[in-house]
Coordinates of all heavy atoms in Angstrom, one line a residue:
M1 N -11.5 -18.6 -24.3 CA -10.6 -17.5 -24.5 C -9.3 -17.7 -23.7 O -9.4 -18.2 -22.5 CB -11.3 -16.2 -24.0 CG -10.7 -15.1 -24.7 SD -11.3 -13.7 -25.4 CE -11.3 -12.4 -24.3
A2 N -8.2 -17.4 -24.3 CA -6.9 -17.7 -23.6 C -6.7 -16.7 -22.4 O -7.1 -15.5 -22.6 CB -5.8 -17.6 -24.6
K3 N -6.1 -17.2 -21.4 CA -5.9 -16.3 -20.3 C -4.7 -15.4 -20.6 O -3.8 -15.7 -21.2 CB -5.5 -17.2 -19.1 CG -5.7 -16.4 -17.8 CD -5.4 -17.3 -16.6 CE -5.4 -16.5 -15.3 NZ -4.6 -17.0 -14.2
K4 N -4.9 -14.1 -20.2 CA -3.9 -13.1 -20.5 C -2.8 -13.1 -19.5 O -3.1 -13.1 -18.3 CB -4.5 -11.7 -20.6 CG -5.2 -11.5 -21.9 CD -5.7 -10.1 -21.9 CE -6.5 -9.8 -23.2 NZ -7.2 -8.6 -23.2
F5 N -1.6 -13.1 -19.9 CA -0.5 -13.1 -19.0 C 0.3 -11.8 -19.1 O 1.4 -11.7 -18.5 CB 0.5 -14.3 -19.2 CG -0.1 -15.6 -18.8 CD1 -0.6 -16.5 -19.7 CD2 -0.1 -15.9 -17.4 CE1 -1.2 -17.7 -19.3 CE2 -0.7 -17.1 -17.0 CZ -1.2 -18.0 -17.9
N6 N -0.2 -10.9 -19.8 CA 0.5 -9.7 -20.1 C 0.0 -8.5 -19.2 O 0.0 -7.4 -19.6 CB 0.5 -9.3 -21.5 CG -0.9 -9.1 -22.1 OD1 -1.9 -9.5 -21.4 ND2 -1.0 -8.5 -23.2
Q7 N -0.6 -8.9 -18.1 CA -1.1 -7.8 -17.2 C 0.1 -7.1 -16.6 O 1.1 -7.7 -16.3 CB -1.9 -8.4 -16.0 CG -3.2 -9.0 -16.5 CD -3.9 -9.7 -15.4 OE1 -4.0 -9.2 -14.3 NE2 -4.5 -10.9 -15.6
P8 N 0.0 -5.8 -16.4 CA 1.1 -5.0 -15.8 C 1.4 -5.5 -14.4 O 0.5 -5.8 -13.6 CB 0.6 -3.6 -15.9 CG -0.9 -3.6 -16.0 CD -1.2 -4.9 -16.7
L9 N 2.7 -5.5 -14.1 CA 3.0 -5.9 -12.7 C 3.3 -4.7 -11.9 O 3.7 -3.7 -12.3 CB 4.3 -6.7 -12.8 CG 4.2 -8.1 -13.5 CD1 5.6 -8.8 -13.5 CD2 3.2 -9.0 -12.9
R10 N 2.9 -4.8 -10.6 CA 3.1 -3.8 -9.6 C 4.0 -4.3 -8.6 O 4.1 -5.5 -8.3 CB 1.8 -3.3 -9.0 CG 0.7 -2.9 -10.0 CD 1.0 -1.5 -10.5 NE 0.0 -1.1 -11.4 CZ 0.1 -0.8 -12.7 NH1 1.3 -0.9 -13.2 NH2 -0.9 -0.4 -13.4
M11 N 4.7 -3.4 -7.9 CA 5.7 -3.8 -6.9 C 5.2 -3.5 -5.5 O 4.8 -2.4 -5.2 CB 7.0 -3.2 -7.2 CG 8.1 -3.8 -6.3 SD 9.7 -3.1 -6.7 CE 9.5 -1.4 -5.9
C12 N 5.3 -4.5 -4.6 CA 5.0 -4.3 -3.2 C 6.1 -3.4 -2.6 O 7.3 -3.7 -2.7 CB 4.9 -5.6 -2.5 SG 4.9 -5.5 -0.7
V13 N 5.7 -2.3 -1.9 CA 6.7 -1.4 -1.4 C 7.4 -2.0 -0.2 O 8.4 -1.4 0.2 CB 6.1 0.0 -1.0 CG1 5.6 0.7 -2.3 CG2 5.0 -0.1 0.0
S14 N 6.9 -3.0 0.3 CA 7.5 -3.6 1.5 C 8.6 -4.7 1.2 O 9.7 -4.6 1.5 CB 6.4 -4.2 2.4 OG 7.0 -4.8 3.6
C15 N 8.2 -5.7 0.4 CA 9.1 -6.8 0.1 C 9.6 -6.7 -1.3 O 10.5 -7.4 -1.7 CB 8.4 -8.1 0.3 SG 7.1 -8.4 -0.8
R16 N 9.1 -5.8 -2.1 CA 9.6 -5.5 -3.5 C 9.3 -6.7 -4.5 O 9.9 -6.8 -5.5 CB 11.0 -5.1 -3.5 CG 11.2 -3.8 -2.9 CD 12.7 -3.4 -2.8 NE 12.8 -2.2 -1.9 CZ 12.7 -1.0 -2.4 NH1 12.4 -0.8 -3.6 NH2 12.8 0.0 -1.6
V17 N 8.4 -7.5 -4.1 CA 8.0 -8.6 -5.0 C 7.0 -8.0 -6.0 O 6.2 -7.1 -5.7 CB 7.3 -9.7 -4.2 CG1 6.4 -10.6 -5.1 CG2 8.4 -10.6 -3.5
R18 N 7.1 -8.4 -7.3 CA 6.2 -7.9 -8.3 C 5.1 -8.9 -8.5 O 5.3 -10.1 -8.6 CB 7.0 -7.7 -9.6 CG 7.8 -6.5 -9.6 CD 8.7 -6.4 -10.8 NE 9.8 -5.5 -10.5 CZ 9.8 -4.2 -10.6 NH1 8.7 -3.6 -11.1 NH2 10.8 -3.5 -10.3
D19 N 3.9 -8.4 -8.7 CA 2.7 -9.2 -8.9 C 1.7 -8.4 -9.7 O 1.8 -7.2 -9.8 CB 2.2 -9.7 -7.6 CG 1.5 -11.1 -7.8 OD1 1.0 -11.4 -8.9 OD2 1.3 -11.8 -6.8
T20 N 0.7 -9.1 -10.2 CA -0.4 -8.4 -10.8 C -1.2 -7.6 -9.8 O -1.3 -8.0 -8.6 CB -1.3 -9.3 -11.6 OG1 -1.7 -10.4 -10.8 CG2 -0.6 -9.9 -12.8
Q21 N -1.9 -6.6 -10.3 CA -2.6 -5.7 -9.4 C -3.7 -6.4 -8.5 O -3.9 -6.0 -7.4 CB -3.3 -4.6 -10.2 CG -3.5 -3.3 -9.5 CD -4.0 -2.2 -10.4 OE1 -3.5 -2.1 -11.5 NE2 -4.9 -1.4 -10.0
I22 N -4.2 -7.5 -9.1 CA -5.3 -8.2 -8.3 C -4.8 -8.8 -7.0 O -5.5 -8.9 -6.0 CB -5.8 -9.4 -9.1 CG1 -5.9 -9.0 -10.6 CG2 -7.2 -9.9 -8.6 CD1 -6.0 -10.3 -11.5
N23 N -3.5 -9.1 -7.0 CA -2.9 -9.8 -5.8 C -2.3 -8.8 -4.8 O -1.7 -9.2 -3.8 CB -1.9 -10.8 -6.2 CG -2.5 -11.9 -6.9 OD1 -3.5 -12.4 -6.6 ND2 -1.9 -12.3 -8.0
L24 N -2.5 -7.5 -5.1 CA -1.9 -6.5 -4.3 C -3.0 -5.5 -3.8 O -4.0 -5.3 -4.4 CB -0.8 -5.7 -5.1 CG 0.4 -6.5 -5.6 CD1 1.0 -5.7 -6.7 CD2 1.3 -6.7 -4.5
F25 N -2.7 -4.9 -2.6 CA -3.6 -3.9 -2.2 C -3.1 -2.5 -2.6 O -1.9 -2.2 -2.4 CB -3.7 -3.9 -0.6 CG -4.6 -5.0 -0.1 CD1 -4.1 -6.2 0.1 CD2 -5.9 -4.7 0.1 CE1 -5.0 -7.2 0.6 CE2 -6.8 -5.6 0.6 CZ -6.3 -6.9 0.8
R26 N -4.0 -1.7 -3.2 CA -3.6 -0.4 -3.6 C -4.0 0.6 -2.5 O -5.2 0.7 -2.2 CB -4.2 0.0 -4.9 CG -3.6 1.2 -5.5 CD -4.2 1.5 -6.9 NE -3.4 2.5 -7.5 CZ -3.6 3.0 -8.7 NH1 -4.7 2.6 -9.4 NH2 -2.9 3.9 -9.3
L27 N -3.0 1.2 -1.9 CA -3.2 2.1 -0.8 C -2.7 3.5 -1.2 O -2.0 3.7 -2.2 CB -2.5 1.7 0.4 CG -2.9 0.3 0.9 CD1 -2.0 -0.2 2.0 CD2 -4.3 0.2 1.4
Q28 N -3.1 4.5 -0.5 CA -2.6 5.8 -0.7 C -2.4 6.6 0.6 O -3.0 6.2 1.6 CB -3.6 6.6 -1.6 CG -4.9 7.0 -0.9 CD -5.8 7.8 -1.8 OE1 -6.9 7.9 -1.7 NE2 -5.2 8.5 -2.8
C29 N -1.7 7.6 0.5 CA -1.3 8.4 1.6 C -1.7 9.9 1.2 O -1.1 10.4 0.3 CB 0.1 8.3 1.9 SG 0.4 8.0 3.6
L30 N -2.6 10.4 1.9 CA -3.0 11.8 1.7 C -2.7 12.6 3.0 O -3.4 12.3 4.0 CB -4.4 12.0 1.3 CG -4.7 11.9 -0.2 CD1 -6.2 12.0 -0.5 CD2 -4.0 12.9 -1.0
E31 N -1.8 13.5 3.0 CA -1.5 14.3 4.2 C -1.3 13.4 5.4 O -1.9 13.6 6.4 CB -2.5 15.4 4.4 CG -2.3 16.5 3.4 CD -3.6 17.3 3.2 OE1 -4.5 17.3 4.1 OE2 -3.8 17.9 2.1
S32 N -0.4 12.4 5.2 CA -0.1 11.4 6.2 C -1.3 10.5 6.7 O -1.2 9.8 7.7 CB 0.5 12.1 7.4 OG 1.7 12.8 7.1
Q33 N -2.4 10.6 6.0 CA -3.5 9.7 6.3 C -3.5 8.5 5.3 O -3.6 8.7 4.1 CB -4.8 10.5 6.1 CG -5.2 11.4 7.3 CD -5.5 10.6 8.5 OE1 -5.8 9.4 8.5 NE2 -5.5 11.3 9.7
L34 N -3.4 7.4 5.9 CA -3.4 6.2 5.0 C -4.8 5.7 4.8 O -5.6 5.7 5.7 CB -2.6 5.1 5.8 CG -2.4 3.8 5.1 CD1 -1.4 3.9 3.9 CD2 -1.9 2.7 6.0
S35 N -5.1 5.3 3.5 CA -6.4 4.7 3.2 C -6.3 3.8 2.0 O -5.3 3.8 1.3 CB -7.4 5.8 3.0 OG -7.2 6.5 1.8
L36 N -7.4 3.1 1.7 CA -7.4 2.4 0.4 C -7.5 3.4 -0.7 O -8.0 4.5 -0.5 CB -8.7 1.5 0.4 CG -8.6 0.2 1.2 CD1 -10.0 -0.4 1.3 CD2 -7.6 -0.8 0.7
F37 N -6.9 3.1 -1.8 CA -6.9 4.1 -2.9 C -8.3 4.4 -3.4 O -9.1 3.6 -3.6 CB -6.0 3.4 -4.1 CG -5.8 4.4 -5.2 CD1 -5.1 5.6 -5.0 CD2 -6.3 4.2 -6.4 CE1 -4.9 6.5 -6.0 CE2 -6.1 5.0 -7.5 CZ -5.4 6.2 -7.3
R38 N -8.5 5.7 -3.4 CA -9.9 6.2 -3.8 C -9.9 6.9 -5.1 O -10.8 7.7 -5.4 CB -10.4 7.1 -2.7 CG -10.5 6.3 -1.4 CD -11.8 6.7 -0.6 NE -12.0 5.8 0.5 CZ -11.4 5.9 1.7 NH1 -10.6 7.0 1.9 NH2 -11.6 5.1 2.6
G39 N -8.9 6.8 -5.9 CA -8.9 7.3 -7.3 C -8.1 8.6 -7.6 O -8.0 9.0 -8.7
N40 N -7.5 9.2 -6.5 CA -6.6 10.3 -6.8 C -5.5 10.4 -5.9 O -5.5 9.8 -4.8 CB -7.4 11.6 -6.9 CG -8.2 11.9 -5.7 OD1 -7.6 11.9 -4.6 ND2 -9.5 12.2 -5.8
G41 N -4.4 11.0 -6.3 CA -3.2 11.1 -5.5 C -2.3 10.0 -5.7 O -2.4 9.2 -6.6
R42 N -1.2 10.0 -5.0 CA -0.2 9.1 -5.1 C -0.6 7.8 -4.4 O -1.1 7.8 -3.3 CB 1.1 9.6 -4.4 CG 2.4 9.1 -4.9 CD 3.5 9.8 -4.3 NE 3.8 9.3 -3.0 CZ 4.7 8.3 -2.7 NH1 5.4 7.8 -3.7 NH2 5.0 7.9 -1.5
S43 N -0.3 6.7 -5.1 CA -0.7 5.4 -4.5 C 0.5 4.5 -4.4 O 1.5 4.7 -5.1 CB -1.8 4.7 -5.3 OG -1.4 4.4 -6.5
F44 N 0.4 3.4 -3.6 CA 1.4 2.4 -3.6 C 0.8 1.1 -3.3 O -0.4 1.0 -3.0 CB 2.5 2.7 -2.6 CG 2.0 2.9 -1.1 CD1 2.0 1.8 -0.3 CD2 1.4 4.1 -0.7 CE1 1.5 1.9 1.0 CE2 0.9 4.2 0.6 CZ 1.0 3.1 1.5
Y45 N 1.5 0.0 -3.5 CA 1.0 -1.3 -3.4 C 1.6 -2.1 -2.3 O 2.8 -2.0 -2.0 CB 1.2 -2.1 -4.7 CG 0.4 -1.5 -5.8 CD1 1.0 -0.5 -6.6 CD2 -0.9 -1.9 -6.2 CE1 0.3 0.1 -7.7 CE2 -1.6 -1.4 -7.2 CZ -1.0 -0.4 -7.9 OH -1.7 0.2 -9.0
I46 N 0.8 -3.0 -1.6 CA 1.3 -3.9 -0.6 C 0.7 -5.3 -0.9 O -0.5 -5.4 -1.2 CB 0.8 -3.4 0.8 CG1 1.4 -2.1 1.3 CG2 1.0 -4.5 1.8 CD1 2.8 -2.3 1.8
C47 N 1.5 -6.3 -0.9 CA 1.1 -7.6 -1.2 C 0.4 -8.2 0.1 O 0.5 -7.7 1.2 CB 2.2 -8.5 -1.7 SG 3.3 -9.0 -0.4
K48 N -0.4 -9.2 -0.2 CA -1.2 -9.8 0.9 C -0.3 -10.5 2.0 O -0.7 -10.6 3.1 CB -2.2 -10.8 0.3 CG -3.3 -10.1 -0.5 CD -4.3 -11.1 -1.1 CE -5.3 -10.2 -1.9 NZ -6.3 -11.0 -2.6
I49 N 0.8 -11.0 1.5 CA 1.7 -11.6 2.5 C 2.3 -10.6 3.5 O 2.3 -10.8 4.7 CB 2.8 -12.3 1.8 CG1 2.2 -13.5 0.9 CG2 3.9 -12.9 2.8 CD1 3.1 -13.8 -0.3
C50 N 2.6 -9.4 3.0 CA 3.2 -8.4 3.8 C 2.1 -7.8 4.8 O 2.4 -7.5 5.9 CB 3.7 -7.2 3.0 SG 5.3 -7.6 2.3
L51 N 0.9 -7.8 4.3 CA -0.2 -7.3 5.1 C -0.4 -8.1 6.4 O -0.8 -7.6 7.4 CB -1.5 -7.3 4.4 CG -2.0 -6.0 3.6 CD1 -3.4 -6.2 3.2 CD2 -1.8 -4.8 4.5
K52 N 0.0 -9.4 6.3 CA -0.1 -10.2 7.5 C 1.0 -10.0 8.5 O 1.0 -10.5 9.6 CB -0.2 -11.7 7.1 CG -1.5 -12.0 6.3 CD -1.7 -13.5 6.2 CE -3.0 -13.7 5.4 NZ -2.8 -14.0 4.0
D53 N 2.1 -9.4 8.0 CA 3.3 -9.2 8.9 C 3.2 -7.7 9.3 O 3.8 -6.8 8.7 CB 4.5 -9.4 8.0 CG 5.8 -9.4 8.9 OD1 5.7 -8.9 10.0 OD2 6.8 -10.0 8.5
E54 N 2.5 -7.5 10.5 CA 2.3 -6.2 10.9 C 3.5 -5.3 11.1 O 3.5 -4.2 10.6 CB 1.4 -6.2 12.2 CG 1.1 -4.8 12.7 CD 0.0 -4.8 13.8 OE1 -0.8 -5.7 13.8 OE2 0.0 -3.8 14.5
K55 N 4.5 -5.8 11.7 CA 5.7 -5.1 12.0 C 6.3 -4.5 10.7 O 6.7 -3.4 10.6 CB 6.8 -6.0 12.6 CG 7.0 -5.6 14.1 CD 8.2 -6.4 14.6 CE 8.3 -6.3 16.1 NZ 9.3 -7.3 16.6
K56 N 6.4 -5.5 9.7 CA 7.0 -5.1 8.4 C 6.2 -4.1 7.7 O 6.7 -3.2 7.1 CB 7.1 -6.4 7.6 CG 8.1 -6.4 6.5 CD 8.2 -7.8 6.0 CE 8.8 -7.8 4.6 NZ 8.7 -9.2 4.0
V57 N 4.9 -4.3 7.7 CA 4.0 -3.5 6.9 C 3.9 -2.1 7.5 O 3.8 -1.1 6.8 CB 2.7 -4.2 6.6 CG1 1.7 -4.0 7.8 CG2 2.0 -3.6 5.4
L58 N 3.9 -2.0 8.8 CA 3.9 -0.7 9.4 C 5.1 0.1 9.1 O 5.0 1.4 8.9 CB 3.7 -0.8 10.9 CG 2.4 -1.3 11.4 CD1 2.3 -1.4 13.0 CD2 1.2 -0.4 10.9
K59 N 6.2 -0.5 9.0 CA 7.5 0.2 8.6 C 7.3 0.8 7.2 O 7.7 1.9 7.0 CB 8.6 -0.8 8.6 CG 9.7 -0.5 9.6 CD 10.9 -1.4 9.3 CE 11.7 -1.6 10.6 NZ 12.8 -2.6 10.4
A60 N 6.7 0.0 6.3 CA 6.5 0.4 4.9 C 5.6 1.6 4.9 O 5.8 2.6 4.2 CB 6.0 -0.7 4.1
F61 N 4.5 1.5 5.7 CA 3.5 2.6 5.7 C 4.2 3.9 6.2 O 4.0 5.0 5.7 CB 2.4 2.3 6.7 CG 1.4 1.2 6.2 CD1 0.6 0.6 7.1 CD2 1.4 0.9 4.8 CE1 -0.3 -0.4 6.6 CE2 0.5 -0.1 4.4 CZ -0.3 -0.7 5.3
M62 N 5.0 3.8 7.3 CA 5.6 5.0 7.8 C 6.5 5.6 6.8 O 6.6 6.8 6.8 CB 6.3 4.6 9.1 CG 5.3 4.3 10.3 SD 6.1 4.2 11.9 CE 7.0 2.6 11.8
R63 N 7.2 4.8 6.1 CA 8.1 5.3 5.1 C 7.3 6.0 3.9 O 7.7 7.1 3.5 CB 8.9 4.1 4.5 CG 10.3 4.5 4.0 CD 11.1 3.3 3.7 NE 10.4 2.3 2.9 CZ 10.4 1.0 3.2 NH1 11.1 0.5 4.2 NH2 9.8 0.1 2.5
Q64 N 6.3 5.3 3.5 CA 5.5 5.9 2.4 C 4.8 7.2 2.8 O 4.7 8.1 2.0 CB 4.4 4.9 1.9 CG 5.0 3.7 1.2 CD 5.7 4.0 -0.1 OE1 5.2 4.8 -0.8 NE2 6.8 3.5 -0.3
C65 N 4.3 7.2 4.0 CA 3.5 8.4 4.5 C 4.4 9.4 5.1 O 3.9 10.5 5.5 CB 2.4 8.0 5.4 SG 1.2 6.9 4.7
K66 N 5.7 9.1 5.3 CA 6.6 10.0 6.0 C 6.0 10.5 7.3 O 6.0 11.6 7.7 CB 6.9 11.2 5.1 CG 7.6 10.9 3.8 CD 7.9 12.1 3.0 CE 8.7 11.7 1.7 NZ 7.8 10.9 0.8
S67 N 5.6 9.5 8.0 CA 5.0 9.7 9.4 C 5.5 8.6 10.3 O 5.7 7.5 9.8 CB 3.5 9.8 9.3 OG 3.0 9.7 10.6
S68 N 5.6 8.8 11.6 CA 6.0 7.7 12.4 C 5.0 7.4 13.5 O 5.3 6.9 14.5 CB 7.4 8.1 13.1 OG 7.2 9.4 13.7
D69 N 3.7 7.7 13.1 CA 2.6 7.4 14.0 C 2.2 5.9 13.9 O 1.2 5.6 13.2 CB 1.5 8.3 13.7 CG 0.4 8.3 14.9 OD1 0.5 7.4 15.7 OD2 -0.4 9.3 14.9
R70 N 3.0 5.0 14.5 CA 2.8 3.6 14.4 C 1.4 3.2 14.8 O 0.8 2.3 14.2 CB 3.8 2.9 15.2 CG 3.9 1.4 15.0 CD 5.0 0.8 15.9 NE 6.3 1.1 15.4 CZ 7.0 0.3 14.6 NH1 6.4 -0.9 14.2 NH2 8.2 0.5 14.2
D71 N 0.9 3.7 15.9 CA -0.4 3.3 16.4 C -1.6 3.6 15.4 O -2.5 2.8 15.2 CB -0.8 4.0 17.8 CG 0.1 3.5 18.9 OD1 0.7 2.4 18.7 OD2 0.2 4.2 19.9
K72 N -1.4 4.8 14.8 CA -2.5 5.2 13.8 C -2.5 4.2 12.7 O -3.5 3.7 12.3 CB -2.2 6.6 13.4 CG -3.2 7.2 12.4 CD -2.9 8.6 12.0 CE -1.8 8.7 11.0 NZ -1.4 10.1 10.6
F73 N -1.3 3.9 12.2 CA -1.2 3.0 11.0 C -1.7 1.6 11.4 O -2.3 0.9 10.6 CB 0.2 2.9 10.5 CG 0.6 4.2 9.8 CD1 1.9 4.8 10.0 CD2 -0.3 4.9 9.0 CE1 2.2 6.0 9.4 CE2 0.1 6.1 8.4 CZ 1.3 6.6 8.6
S74 N -1.4 1.2 12.6 CA -1.8 -0.1 13.1 C -3.3 -0.2 13.1 O -3.9 -1.2 12.7 CB -1.3 -0.3 14.5 OG -1.8 -1.5 15.0
N75 N -4.0 0.9 13.5 CA -5.5 0.9 13.5 C -6.0 0.8 12.0 O -7.0 0.1 11.7 CB -6.0 2.1 14.1 CG -5.9 2.0 15.7 OD1 -5.9 0.9 16.2 ND2 -5.8 3.2 16.3
I76 N -5.4 1.6 11.2 CA -5.9 1.6 9.8 C -5.6 0.3 9.1 O -6.5 -0.2 8.4 CB -5.1 2.7 9.0 CG1 -5.5 4.1 9.6 CG2 -5.6 2.7 7.5 CD1 -4.6 5.3 9.1
L77 N -4.5 -0.3 9.5 CA -4.2 -1.7 8.9 C -5.3 -2.7 9.3 O -5.8 -3.4 8.4 CB -2.9 -2.1 9.4 CG -2.4 -3.5 9.0 CD1 -2.2 -3.6 7.5 CD2 -1.1 -3.9 9.8
K78 N -5.8 -2.6 10.5 CA -6.8 -3.5 11.0 C -8.1 -3.3 10.2 O -8.8 -4.2 9.8 CB -7.1 -3.3 12.5 CG -6.1 -4.1 13.3 CD -6.3 -3.8 14.8 CE -5.0 -4.2 15.5 NZ -4.6 -3.2 16.5
E79 N -8.4 -2.0 9.9 CA -9.6 -1.7 9.1 C -9.5 -2.3 7.7 O -10.4 -2.8 7.1 CB -9.8 -0.2 9.0 CG -10.5 0.4 10.2 CD -10.5 1.9 10.2 OE1 -10.6 2.5 9.0 OE2 -10.3 2.6 11.2
I80 N -8.3 -2.1 7.1 CA -8.1 -2.6 5.7 C -8.3 -4.1 5.7 O -9.0 -4.6 4.8 CB -6.7 -2.2 5.2 CG1 -6.6 -0.7 5.1 CG2 -6.4 -2.9 3.9 CD1 -5.2 -0.1 4.9
I81 N -7.7 -4.8 6.6 CA -7.8 -6.3 6.7 C -9.3 -6.7 6.9 O -9.8 -7.6 6.2 CB -6.9 -6.9 7.7 CG1 -5.5 -6.6 7.4 CG2 -7.2 -8.4 7.9 CD1 -4.5 -6.9 8.5
T82 N -10.0 -6.0 7.7 CA -11.4 -6.3 8.0 C -12.2 -6.1 6.7 O -13.1 -6.9 6.3 CB -12.0 -5.4 9.1 OG1 -11.1 -5.4 10.1 CG2 -13.3 -6.0 9.6
D83 N -12.0 -4.9 6.0 CA -12.6 -4.6 4.8 C -12.5 -5.7 3.8 O -13.4 -6.1 3.1 CB -12.1 -3.4 4.2 CG -12.8 -2.1 4.6 OD1 -13.7 -2.3 5.5 OD2 -12.6 -1.1 4.0
D84 N -11.3 -6.3 3.7 CA -10.9 -7.3 2.7 C -11.7 -8.6 3.0 O -12.2 -9.3 2.1 CB -9.4 -7.6 2.7 CG -9.1 -8.6 1.7 OD1 -9.5 -8.5 0.5 OD2 -8.4 -9.6 2.0
R85 N -12.0 -8.9 4.3 CA -12.7 -10.1 4.6 C -14.2 -10.0 4.3 O -14.8 -11.0 4.0 CB -12.5 -10.4 6.1 CG -11.1 -10.9 6.4 CD -11.0 -11.6 7.7 NE -9.6 -11.9 8.0 CZ -9.0 -11.5 9.1 NH1 -9.6 -10.8 10.0 NH2 -7.7 -11.8 9.3
K86 N -14.7 -8.7 4.3 CA -16.1 -8.5 3.9 C -16.3 -8.8 2.5 O -17.4 -9.3 2.1 CB -16.5 -7.1 4.3 CG -17.0 -7.0 5.7 CD -17.5 -5.6 6.0 CE -16.5 -4.8 6.7 NZ -16.8 -3.4 6.8
S87 N -15.4 -8.4 1.6 CA -15.6 -8.5 0.2 C -15.2 -9.8 -0.4 O -14.5 -10.6 0.2 CB -14.9 -7.4 -0.5 OG -13.5 -7.4 -0.3
Ligands
ZN1 ZN1 5.1 -7.6 0.0

């Protein structure tokens, strides 16, 4: 079977690079709480490269969640990265 190249592209909110959904993390913000996307609400995407750049990605999180609690996002970011290593 031929590989499909017509997958929809999503944009990383941090660096604005477009990629397929598999290469991006889908996250969401509910009442300023950041988490992995769980199926409802507004979501956004972050690429794996940006996830490794903590300063940059925290800025994007704060913008998306309209919150400036850097420490909180920093902790959540660590959880997300740990989760990814498990799977
Ligand atoms: Zn990015």
